[in-house]
Amino acid sequence: VRKEEFKWETRIIRGKTITYPLTFFPETKKPSSKPNKRPLHHIDEELLPDFLELAARIVPRIALGIYFQMFGGLRPSEVVGISTTCKTLFGPNGMNGMSLSIQTRYFDNKPRKKSAQSKRPRSQNIEIFMDYLPRFYKTHMEKYLPTDGTLALFSNGEGRFLSYCLYYYYFKILMTSFINYLENSGNTNYEIYAMTLKTAKAGPHIGRGIFSNLMAEIHDARGLMLARGDKNQESSQVYKDNIKSSRKRIARKLND
């Protein structure tokens, strides 16, 4: 095979001039050599307290946002769009829960791409899990509010409002720490579970998945749709089809 037999093309990619040969087979797509990682939508319920404790210790700046996702079903873009004026507390520091007004907000008045917007403006209840909500809320309000004059609830290390990209970065730090924690726990089951997490795509959207799986154990399809703030039941149905109680019933039948 000689270079002269190829047609060549030059493009500028990420600021670099790249010259590459055009394929002889334009209709053929070459599969990626990277393993196809499946997106992760859940964490075992028994590990949720460990995950929250790590969040409070490793990334305390977004710990409250992680809680909002796990027990309110918020998307990452909705977390960074929360303002200090859009919440209603039920009890001191939200001891009995809270309600958030969810909508797209741009604290620097610069529109963002669609992935960084709220898909569905709504009033979203945040549920109570042990004492984490009042504890996280009190710490957050004392230490992590922005000082840039905006009404944002979440801030970066410089005191400005927190961006979607930085929230994603903090979450990746948390997930890496969580996997390391499981690997070094001395618990064989946890170590095996850490291997499972490594083979999956674990982004911050997992918080909404955790909430959806928990709510699917409680609500019917319509109730789950309302809890998640969806426009229709199709988005919620996948969680109803995969709830733990259903999996246990299938396992019992197979075992019998």
Side-chain angles (χ1 to χ4, degrees):
V1 181
R2 297 173 303 178
K3 286 179 63 176
E4 291 76 16
E5 294 177 328
F6 287 87
K7 291 182 179 180
W8 294 77
E9 187 169 297
T10 300
R11 289 186 181 180
I12 297 177
I13 301 175
R14 295 178 182 174
K16 295 182 179 180
T17 301
I18 307 294
T19 302
Y20 60 94
L22 299 177
T23 178
F24 286 129
F25 313 102
E27 300 303 320
T28 303
K29 292 184 178 181
K30 180 183 176 183
S32 172
S33 60
K34 295 181 180 179
N36 184 23
K37 291 188 174 183
R38 64 189 184 282
L40 189 67
H41 291 287
H42 195 48
I43 291 176
D44 283 355
E45 284 90 342
E46 67 181 69
L47 290 172
L48 295 185
D50 302 78
F51 192 72
L52 288 170
E53 291 293 348
L54 271 178
R57 191 165 77 246
I58 304 296
V59 286
R61 194 172 295 278
I62 67 164
L64 181 62
I66 297 294
Y67 185 95
F68 285 166
Q69 287 197 262
M70 292 169 59
F71 299 100
L74 271 64
R75 299 173 178 88
S77 57
E78 294 170 341
V79 171
V80 298
I82 299 173
S83 78
T84 55
T85 61
C86 74
K87 59 188 185 302
T88 301
L89 304 181
F90 305 130
N93 295 313
M95 184 174 64
N96 299 315
M98 66 175 62
S99 178
L100 300 175
S101 173
I102 304 300
Q103 56 184 288
T104 299
R105 296 182 179 87
Y106 304 121
F107 294 112
D108 57 356
N109 297 319
K110 294 180 181 179
R112 300 288 186 269
K113 59 184 180 181
K114 193 173 182 180
S115 62
Q117 301 176 7
S118 171
K119 286 187 178 180
R120 183 169 171 77
R122 63 193 185 280
S123 178
Q124 182 65 55
N125 286 333
I126 307 298
E127 308 299 340
I128 287 295
F129 177 65
M130 302 173 68
D131 67 339
Y132 285 105
L133 180 56
R135 177 152 62 96
F136 283 9
Y137 180 80
K138 184 175 186 296
T139 300
H140 186 90
M141 297 302 288
E142 291 174 351
K143 297 183 177 180
Y144 300 114
L145 289 181
T147 57
D148 59 357
T150 66
L151 295 176
L153 184 61
F154 292 89
S155 68
N156 61 20
E158 298 175 349
R160 301 185 68 247
F161 65 90
L162 185 68
S163 69
Y164 174 87
C165 291
L166 192 54
Y167 184 87
Y168 190 98
Y169 171 76
Y170 281 139
F171 184 87
K172 296 300 286 186
I173 292 176
L174 172 60
M175 184 54 66
T176 299
S177 300
F178 183 57
I179 291 173
N180 291 336
Y181 163 76
L182 296 177
E183 286 179 326
N184 297 290
S185 64
N187 183 314
T188 303
N189 291 331
Y190 286 5
E191 292 170 6
I192 294 173
Y193 191 60
M195 294 175 61
T196 301
L197 295 181
K198 278 187 173 181
T199 61
K201 283 195 298 186
H205 203 77
I206 188 178
R208 181 167 167 81
I210 291 171
F211 174 78
S212 301
N213 277 285
L214 293 173
M215 293 298 105
E217 300 279 357
I218 302 170
H219 295 293
D220 59 15
R222 176 165 175 77
L224 179 58
M225 179 191 76
L226 295 174
R228 281 169 42 91
D230 291 328
K231 293 182 179 179
N232 56 64
Q233 291 184 198
E234 290 183 8
S235 300
S236 307
Q237 189 61 44
V238 63
Y239 295 99
K240 289 299 296 181
D241 294 341
N242 194 42
I243 60 176
K244 181 178 288 187
S245 57
S246 297
R247 297 197 303 274
K248 285 182 177 179
R249 284 197 298 271
I250 293 170
R252 281 199 300 269
K253 287 292 184 182
L254 292 175
N255 288 331
D256 289 343

